[in-house]
Amino acid sequence: DTAVSQTPKYLVTQMGNDKSIKCEQNLGHDTMYWYKQDSKKFLKIMFSYNNKELIINETVPNRFSPKSPDKAHLNLHINSLELGDSAVYFCASSRRTYANTGELFFGEGSRLTVL
Amino acid sequence: DQQVKQNSPSLSVQEGRISILNCDYTNSMFDYFLWYKKYPAEGPTFLISISSIKDKNEDGRFTVFLNKSAKHLSLHIVPSQPGDSAVYFCAASAKNTDKLIFGTGTRLQVFP
């Protein structure tokens, strides 16, 4: 039974399209995150939510909009996709708000390719 | 500005020998450090962590060493096993922040 699950795992789309990636965790954690791993393999935080409240919003274009309908779900919607958005997007969750008191549990990643 | 650096993109070690993966950081506010392991097509999984009040933490075959004055930490795996072949990410966070800053990873290959 997958703890943090993301869908879809692979997504190929054209520039200018709008797409969403969904994430669900069944660990009972309060905090969820989106990380982006780009072509240089940097794994960078984009957003974090604690119990549906936005905690971290890094310098991410406003084309990216996270939505947390409840604390078990954190979806990522991307408008007007650009070539540079191609990356692997990882969802994660943790037991506590502060990352340094609890490990992150990651999903398997969603590989987005923008053509 | 890369605050967490893993300067070795890859490492190859013979089975049974010690693997040493290194990580350097620049932010003196970091006080908690973690290592994650990642297999292909999977998300990173937590391996071991260390608080800045310690200089060593051990868990089975895995030991993490922290040298605060040098802003350096290392992960030792002994003995190395083929199943340890993966990408290892070093990560750090500062007190009362919700951000983990990751390095770019080191690909470890353990051969028979």
Side-chain angles (χ1 to χ4, degrees):
Chain A
D1 190 20
T2 306
V4 181
S5 58
Q6 303 176 222
T7 54
K9 285 189 178 181
Y10 300 95
L11 189 53
V12 181
T13 188
Q14 299 286 333
M15 270 176 41
N17 285 348
D18 303 338
K19 291 294 177 185
S20 292
I21 307 172
K22 296 185 177 181
C23 178
E24 176 182 4
Q25 55 95 4
N26 62 7
L27 297 168
H29 290 166
D30 287 327
T31 308
M32 296 185 71
Y33 311 77
W34 278 108
Y35 276 80
K36 176 182 179 181
Q37 186 179 32
D38 60 22
S39 58
K40 295 182 179 177
K41 306 302 181 186
F42 290 118
L43 194 62
K44 291 184 178 177
I45 190 168
M46 301 173 68
F47 303 101
S48 80
Y49 271 72
N50 178 256
N51 207 7
K52 302 193 297 177
E53 181 184 349
L54 180 65
I55 302 297
I56 289 178
N57 184 349
E58 286 295 285
T59 311
V60 177
N62 57 15
R63 298 183 295 104
F64 290 78
S65 53
K67 285 184 174 54
S68 182
D70 55 62
K71 74 174 192 176
H73 295 84
L74 181 61
N75 304 322
L76 184 64
H77 188 77
I78 315 170
N79 289 329
S80 304
L81 278 157
E82 300 178 357
L83 294 177
D85 297 333
S86 296
V88 181
Y89 292 85
F90 288 97
C91 177
S93 71
S94 68
R95 188 174 298 114
R96 304 183 190 203
T97 301
Y98 299 125
N100 62 358
T101 58
E103 65 192 75
L104 297 186
F105 290 78
F106 283 87
E108 294 181 332
S110 297
R111 182 177 292 277
L112 171 65
T113 302
V114 182
L115 303 175
Chain B
D1 178 29
Q2 189 64 11
Q3 299 183 63
V4 178
K5 300 178 184 179
Q6 295 176 256
N7 293 318
S8 297
S10 63
L11 176 67
S12 190
V13 173
Q14 189 172 30
E15 182 179 6
R17 302 262 185 175
I18 185 171
S19 296
I20 301 176
L21 297 99
N22 293 304
C23 178
D24 297 294
Y25 61 96
T26 57
N27 190 340
S28 57
M29 298 300 291
F30 287 151
D31 68 341
Y32 197 71
F33 305 89
L34 306 90
W35 285 94
Y36 281 78
K37 176 180 179 180
K38 184 182 180 304
Y39 292 117
E42 294 184 12
T45 55
F46 171 75
L47 191 58
I48 192 169
S49 63
I50 188 167
S51 165
S52 60
I53 62 174
K54 295 184 177 181
D55 54 18
K56 177 183 175 181
N57 188 25
E58 193 171 352
D59 183 3
R61 296 185 297 114
F62 302 90
T63 303
V64 56
F65 295 92
L66 176 62
N67 182 335
K68 288 189 291 293
S69 61
K71 293 192 177 67
H72 177 84
L73 65 155
S74 60
L75 174 68
H76 292 210
I77 306 173
V78 58
S80 301
Q81 299 174 353
D84 297 329
S85 298
V87 176
Y88 289 78
F89 289 95
C90 170
S93 69
K95 189 176 183 180
N96 293 336
T97 68
D98 200 25
K99 284 196 293 187
L100 268 186
I101 309 298
F102 283 84
T104 51
T106 296
R107 182 177 300 278
L108 173 66
Q109 183 179 8
V110 180
F111 59 93

